[in-house]
Amino acid sequence: MIAVLKRRMMSVSKRVTSVLDAGGLVLLIVVIVTGIARYSHGGGRGYVYDFSNANHDVVTAVVEDGKVILPGVDGFTTAAFLEVQIQTSGLDRLWSPRVDLKSETHHADHYFERGAGGTRYLNVTAFLSKKPVTIDIATRHVTIGEQSAKLYLLKGKPVTDRRILVIAPHPDDAEIAAFGLYSSSADVHVVTVTAGDAGAFKYDEVYTDKVLHYLNKGRLRTWDSITVPLLGGVPPEKAINLGFFDATLQQMYCRPGQVVPGRYTQVSDIETFRHMNVSSLSEGLQGQSDWSSLVSNMRYLLAAIRPDVIITPYPALDRHPDHKLTSIALFEAIRKSGIRGSRLLLYTNHFVGDENFPYGEQGAVVTLPPDIQGGKLFFDTIYSHPLSRDRQLEKMMALESMHDLRMDTEWRNFVGIVKMGVIKVISYMRSGDISYYRRAVRDNELFFGINADDLDISDVSDRVVGTLPECD
């Protein structure tokens, strides 16, 4: 009898092992396939950036023996990019191509999309000095052969000593894009367009009623947009939320005379979240939840703040409709306001080509994104703002202070923890780590600069705006 039981147990054990082996094989195949698919934007095509409209110098830097010598640079340089030709093998479909640069004073890791090849740009801004600098080049899953490389030195004025207005479509966008910059500046206003009352049904374990959930989510995120900038030195008097409803800007834009209610709350009173402002500037906000009110509110704030520098999404590079239309409303307000001479620094938090950008690990360098316009992207300078290690940690904690970037409340029970773990693994296998803790906590923050006055030129405006969201 015992012998029979042993045989049956061994048989069951073999079947279980067989199933696990098969499952492991399937998992391995899934990992390989998803690994090949991830970060594949651009394939082996080279980038084509046109610097002809930018104020810049070009010098030659020779790459040989795993080193490159950068010439000494006088004066303020907003950014510096070394244009190199790279080659990758088939293995780079499984691991991201990586280039490590190291000098006596600085170290910077560069990552590119899987399958990368051809022309790429190394961000060497942090290495510049008045004296020549030797940089050691180490590569993983990519080859940079001996070559004469072009070094583009972008010129412009410092911005941290000027009056800055940061425009955020949602609570947390200002911190994701520009916490390092605005926390390094003395005169900053942060204006958030929406209350953040949409997105994932994240707190359903706390608020089972969906309407109540999104009303409270909007309240929490509005409060975040007003208070979290304090961590970067911006007091609530200079942090304002306009109170428009999340995920409704496209409908507002397409139906400019129509009042648009919240997507999930169905409230249409613009004061629902706007009343939480403590800034005296909020007393001048007027109108309803419609497009003309958004533009007129922008005009009012431009006149009241009189910014020298405006930081806002780059519509042609950001895939999120609220991000595109936030800047389009701003551009309309700038034209109607008659204000001249402001600088625009444009960012992307949802890169239109690949949500994984910036590539690589937390702390790595943000360099030029994949070229999606064939050299037609317009800018007159590029600004790469450095973040020290301490500033990166401060930025991480600012992001952690934003409720919507924290874990789902399912973590409160064991079943929820297991469920979140499974979802996280599947999501990682499919898309990689797309959290802002990886993408935004970096060695630098990157902005494309233009003069606001150039928006009056139709060709420039078309290239900056890009493809508009479609209206039904």
Side-chain angles (χ1 to χ4, degrees):
M1 186 66 178
I2 295 176
V4 172
L5 287 174
K6 284 184 177 180
R7 286 196 298 270
R8 288 182 179 177
M9 290 176 65
M10 289 178 63
S11 177
V12 171
S13 177
K14 288 180 179 178
R15 290 178 184 178
V16 171
T17 303
S18 177
V19 170
L20 291 176
D21 288 344
L25 179 60
V26 170
L27 181 61
L28 178 61
I29 293 173
V30 170
V31 170
I32 292 174
V33 171
T34 54
I36 291 173
R38 272 191 276 152
Y39 310 133
S40 60
H41 178 81
R45 299 191 303 271
Y47 296 180
V48 185
Y49 271 85
D50 180 7
F51 294 90
S52 62
N53 294 303
N55 179 12
H56 73 289
D57 294 329
V58 183
V59 297
T60 299
V62 177
V63 178
E64 59 182 355
D65 298 328
K67 300 179 185 294
V68 64
I69 300 176
L70 303 184
V73 177
D74 290 321
F76 182 72
T77 301
T78 58
F81 298 96
L82 187 67
E83 182 185 276
V84 295
Q85 303 299 314
I86 69 173
Q87 293 181 337
T88 53
S89 63
L91 291 178
D92 68 281
R93 291 286 183 173
L94 298 177
W95 293 278
S96 298
R98 173 175 166 180
V99 179
D100 299 340
L101 304 182
K102 187 176 182 180
S103 69
E104 291 184 356
T105 59
H106 193 69
H107 177 268
D109 297 334
H110 290 70
Y111 290 84
F112 298 103
E113 70 276 29
R114 299 182 181 186
T119 303
R120 293 295 186 273
Y121 297 89
L122 302 177
N123 187 340
V124 295
T125 312
F127 292 91
L128 296 181
S129 173
K130 291 184 178 181
K131 297 180 180 180
V133 175
T134 300
I135 299 177
D136 292 318
I137 303 175
T139 61
R140 298 184 185 181
H141 315 299
V142 63
T143 300
I144 300 178
E146 295 188 358
Q147 57 188 278
S148 293
K150 292 181 179 179
L151 176 63
Y152 292 92
L153 302 169
L154 284 299
K155 303 296 183 180
K157 297 179 180 179
V159 299
T160 53
D161 60 349
R162 306 177 75 187
R163 181 172 296 168
I164 295 173
L165 169 60
V166 184
I167 303 290
H170 310 101
D172 69 29
D173 280 317
E175 286 66 39
I176 291 166
F179 179 84
L181 191 154
Y182 83 61
S183 62
S184 303
S185 307
D187 192 355
V188 178
H189 286 78
V190 175
V191 172
T192 305
V193 173
T194 72
D197 56 314
F201 191 22
K202 191 167 187 175
Y203 313 122
D204 53 314
E205 294 80 21
V206 180
Y207 300 106
T208 55
D209 180 84
K210 198 167 186 177
V211 172
L212 184 62
H213 167 276
Y214 281 105
L215 283 170
N216 279 282
K217 182 176 183 179
R219 182 175 63 84
L220 283 171
R221 297 191 71 193
T222 299
W223 188 246
D224 288 342
S225 70
I226 295 168
T227 59
V228 172
L230 265 170
L231 296 175
V234 180
E237 172 61 27
K238 292 187 174 183
I240 305 147
N241 192 300
L242 302 185
F244 290 91
F245 304 122
D246 191 353
T248 64
L249 267 60
Q250 184 169 347
Q251 190 176 352
M252 287 166 52
Y253 173 77
C254 292
R255 298 175 176 83
Q258 177 179 314
V259 173
V260 179
R263 171 168 285 191
Y264 301 113
T265 62
Q266 294 304 306
V267 296
S268 56
D269 183 1
I270 195 68
E271 290 297 324
T272 301
F273 302 109
R274 181 180 283 183
H275 79 278
M276 296 177 65
N277 285 299
V278 297
S279 171
S280 59
L281 281 173
S282 66
E283 297 172 4
L285 299 176
Q286 297 178 350
Q288 310 173 93
S289 59
D290 61 15
W291 184 259
S292 61
S293 296
L294 174 58
V295 174
S296 65
N297 280 202
M298 293 274 198
R299 289 182 64 186
Y300 158 70
L301 290 169
L302 289 172
I305 297 171
R306 309 292 295 188
D308 301 309
V309 177
I310 306 172
I311 300 174
T312 191
Y314 202 139
L317 289 182
D318 202 299
R319 72 198 309 169
H320 197 301
D322 280 357
H323 287 230
K324 289 177 178 287
L325 292 168
T326 287
S327 291
I328 290 167
L330 172 68
F331 299 164
E332 187 175 332
I334 290 173
R335 292 189 183 99
K336 291 181 176 179
S337 70
I339 292 176
R340 293 292 179 264
S342 293
R343 292 284 297 161
L344 296 174
L345 292 184
L346 307 176
Y347 65 84
T348 174
N349 285 349
H350 299 275
F351 178 58
V352 67
D354 187 349
E355 191 77 15
N356 284 290
F357 178 83
Y359 303 114
E361 303 300 325
Q362 184 183 95
V365 174
V366 181
T367 190
L368 297 181
D371 167 49
I372 59 170
Q373 294 193 340
K376 295 181 181 179
L377 189 70
F378 183 84
F379 54 89
D380 62 30
T381 194
I382 300 174
Y383 186 59
S384 181
H385 181 78
L387 275 68
S388 67
R389 179 57 181 165
D390 287 344
R391 187 71 60 161
Q392 291 178 45
L393 296 178
E394 291 171 7
K395 182 171 185 175
M396 183 187 299
M397 297 311 297
L399 297 181
E400 199 279 333
S401 300
M402 289 287 176
H403 281 82
D404 206 49
L405 298 183
R406 297 178 185 172
M407 289 192 301
D408 191 295
T409 50
E410 280 189 322
W411 65 266
R412 296 179 311 129
N413 61 74
F414 178 75
V415 174
I417 291 173
V418 173
K419 180 181 175 181
M420 288 175 64
V422 171
I423 292 173
K424 185 74 172 177
V425 170
I426 294 173
S427 175
Y428 182 83
M429 288 166 55
R430 184 180 61 204
S431 305
D433 179 7
I434 59 173
S435 75
Y436 286 112
Y437 296 99
R438 178 192 68 80
R439 290 192 283 159
V441 181
R442 295 290 180 133
D443 191 68
N444 63 306
E445 294 166 340
L446 192 73
F447 308 90
F448 291 89
I450 70 170
N451 281 318
D453 301 355
D454 288 341
L455 293 172
D456 293 331
I457 304 171
S458 59
D459 179 56
V460 170
S461 183
D462 290 343
R463 291 161 71 180
V464 171
V465 169
T467 304
L468 289 170
E470 294 184 1
C471 295
D472 297 333

